[in-house]
């Protein structure tokens, strides 16, 4: 069975999982370029795959029709907007997600943006690049209130991180 893995992060953080798959007899082709595959490279690599672990690459009708052996698509993450779910279902291809696989990373990105905003980092960096520096006063985030819409894995991670630095957290859970 041939497995194609397109998310760039696998080469840095998933080598042990790749080795486990290979130990089970799977032939694994993973993206170690550090870059997203071009559509043509993705298509060429996907053609003979039985399974694809996909990141942001688009799996549309054309890709599905070009992969006669494809049985499983696994989204590395939770958003499946890059996968033609209806067509995959019609072709009896199983589509699954890896809920929680990148929740911490996304929550950390949100926290990084909160720090950037509160300390005026973007504006300061741009002014330094232009050989000037207006010393802006930032805002402390301890004691500030963070509103989180939705309380899935990402929301829960974000709430833990914000609470850990002393922010007040309000959550509005949305129905699924």
């Amino acid at each position: 069975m041939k497995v194609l893995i397109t998310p760039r992060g696998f080469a840095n953080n998933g080598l042990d999982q790749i080795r486990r798959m290979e130990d089970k007899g799977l032939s694994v082709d993973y993206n170690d370029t550090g870059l997203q595959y071009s559509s043509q490279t993705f298509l060429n690599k996907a053609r003979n795959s039985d399974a694809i672990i996909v990141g942001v690459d688009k799996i549309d009708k054309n890709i599905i029709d070009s992969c006669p052996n494809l049985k499983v698509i696994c989204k590395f993450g939770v958003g499946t907007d890059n996968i033609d779910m209806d067509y995959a279902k019609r072709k009896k291809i199983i589509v699954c997600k890896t809920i929680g696989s990148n929740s911490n990373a996304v929550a950390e990105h949100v926290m990084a943006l909160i720090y950037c905003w509160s300390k005026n980092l973007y504006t300061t960096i741009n002014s330094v690049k232009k050989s000037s520096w207006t010393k802006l006063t930032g805002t402390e985030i301890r004691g500030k209130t963070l509103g989180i819409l939705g309380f899935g894995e990402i929301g829960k991670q974000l709430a833990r991180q914000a609470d850990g630095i002393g922010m007040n957290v309000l959550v509005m859970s949305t129905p699924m």
Side-chain angles (χ1 to χ4, degrees):
M1 179 178 227
K2 182 177 177 192
V3 179
L4 173 63
I5 303 174
T6 69
R8 297 164 285 175
F10 253 87
N12 297 327
N13 303 310
L15 289 178
D16 53 337
Q17 299 305 318
I18 290 168
R19 300 296 170 250
R20 286 179 65 193
M21 286 186 254
E22 291 173 337
D23 290 346
K24 301 277 185 196
L26 301 175
S27 169
V28 181
D29 180 1
Y30 65 94
N31 184 352
D32 62 356
T33 67
L35 304 170
Q36 182 181 343
Y37 285 145
S38 70
S39 344
Q40 191 58 52
T41 299
F42 176 57
L43 177 61
N44 292 341
K45 288 181 169 289
R47 277 187 209 281
N48 298 313
S49 296
D50 297 287
I52 300 174
I53 298 174
V54 67
V56 296
D57 304 279
K58 188 172 184 151
I59 299 186
D60 56 13
K61 182 182 184 299
N62 178 51
I63 293 285
I64 292 170
D65 285 341
S66 299
C67 301
N69 302 327
L70 190 59
K71 297 168 192 69
V72 177
I73 300 167
C74 184
K75 172 64 181 201
F76 186 64
V78 293
T80 56
D81 53 311
N82 59 319
I83 301 169
D84 188 333
M85 299 290 287
D86 293 331
Y87 195 65
K89 185 177 182 178
R90 276 190 296 227
K91 298 294 265 183
K92 296 183 176 23
I93 297 170
I94 297 167
V95 179
C96 52
K97 318 180 238 190
T98 57
I99 296 171
S101 63
N102 61 355
S103 301
N104 188 61
V106 173
E108 285 179 357
H109 278 293
V110 172
M111 289 305 302
L113 291 171
I114 290 171
Y115 278 112
C116 258
W117 168 81
S118 71
K119 303 303 177 194
N120 296 302
L121 293 179
Y122 183 78
T123 304
T124 301
I125 289 167
N126 280 333
S127 70
V128 169
K129 282 181 178 180
K130 294 175 184 170
S131 298
S132 67
W133 182 34
T134 308
K135 190 174 179 180
L136 299 172
T137 303
T139 302
E140 289 190 6
I141 57 179
R142 175 176 296 282
K144 297 293 188 280
T145 300
L146 175 65
I148 301 174
L149 298 177
F151 209 54
E153 292 300 314
I154 294 168
K156 289 174 186 166
Q157 284 287 342
L158 181 58
R160 283 196 236 2
Q161 292 177 26
D163 182 62
I165 58 170
M167 294 185 81
N168 300 311
V169 177
L170 298 177
V171 175
M172 179 180 201
S173 224
T174 55
M176 296 301 223

